[in-house]
Amino acid sequence: MHNGDGLITVKPLSDGLELSWSLEGEVTVTRNGIDVFNGSVNHYVDRDTKVGEQVAYRITNAAGEEAKLYTAAVNPEDELYWNRHLTAAVVSQAGTYLQWDPIPDVETYAIYRRGRRIAEVVGTGYIDETPLEAPTAYEVRALRPVKYDQKPGTRLIHAVGKAMSLAKEFTTDTRRNQELYIMYFLVSPHRPETATVDEIQLRVQTFIRPPRLKNPNLLSPHPYFEGDGRPYNVHAPEYRTRTEVKVEGLADIPIVSIKKDAGVTRAFNARHQLTGEDVASVDQVYLEDVDIEPNEVSYRLQHSVGNPLVIAPDIKYTIVAHLKNQPTFKLSGTHTQSPHHEVYLRVGEAPWTTIHRADDLGVSFMAQPMPDCHWTYLTCMD
């Protein structure tokens, strides 16, 4: 992992992280701004970082050479892909280096900076030598072929599919046979203006973009469904589901609360006459694995909501968050790629930050297993 000023690598351990570097002479290592090591040995083992916790290391030698490393500890047993696999960023005067564990069956990775595609790489790292003068958002994207016989519930969904007659455009869409993997890195050359925060709010919305959607099941008494008729919008009043998780009191002992809601599902015939109307249950939207300690919280948000009018696979997602009383964090998630998904975070009174957005693949009421999207978001600033 060459960063211009030296070589620094990070390796996950069963109980922490191991750092190695080739900066010459005696070095000082800080972890989240606190000195944790000083000496001429070229490695350091951190057993204090919790799984999913964003951590920032700064390594400096007597000559003034410096490298900063941002990452999070992993858990090989976690159900989320990006909680099991390492992502990291190294920042130095020479540029920014993004690193990730290889994804099986993936040959190339697309790199985006500030929403613009800038490269495609074969390996599991990318160096951007552009001077880092302002906070910069990077994305790394990859597509992986889906092995449907390994996905839970495949037999049941295939059985449902036999009762449906799908349009040709749905059955020939090769994108539906690939899972999407996304890594987001928000890299900043300076510390956030707000040193500590007291409240962090997560908002997750699923929605159908068109105003009307044709039901692919030609035998259904509900030929059309009403959509939400909107683009991505954190404040939109229309949605299939909206879930909010608020963490308050991060300056002391935090309090965690959840709000959940579902929009009205309406079905029509070809003459736009109402054939059905109901609201989906949100009983299977809940928090688990909530861990509260002074100044920090971690939780797992689970979501499984079905169509109240027809038999169809549920809209499912899982999000794991590890939040502290600092404006730095790591989020990871996975979700079905139908319908549209949008994830936002608000730190204190600051505006909402867009964390993740993913388009519907085109079949909101699908008959076959849809490929999942696996994403992670890491803030790289200290």
Side-chain angles (χ1 to χ4, degrees), residues 291-307:
D291 185 12
I292 299 176
E293 295 189 16
N295 309 128
E296 63 180 290
V297 163
S298 61
Y299 61 78
R300 186 178 301 263
L301 171 61
Q302 300 283 15
H303 177 287
S304 183
V305 176
N307 185 320

Side-chain angles (χ1 to χ4, degrees), residues 10 26 30 122 138 150 156 160-161 172 180 234 288-289 291:
V10 57
E26 188 172 295
T30 66
V122 175
Y138 292 92
Q150 295 181 1
L156 173 62
V160 174
T172 59
L180 176 61
V234 63
E288 64 180 7
D289 299 336
D291 185 12

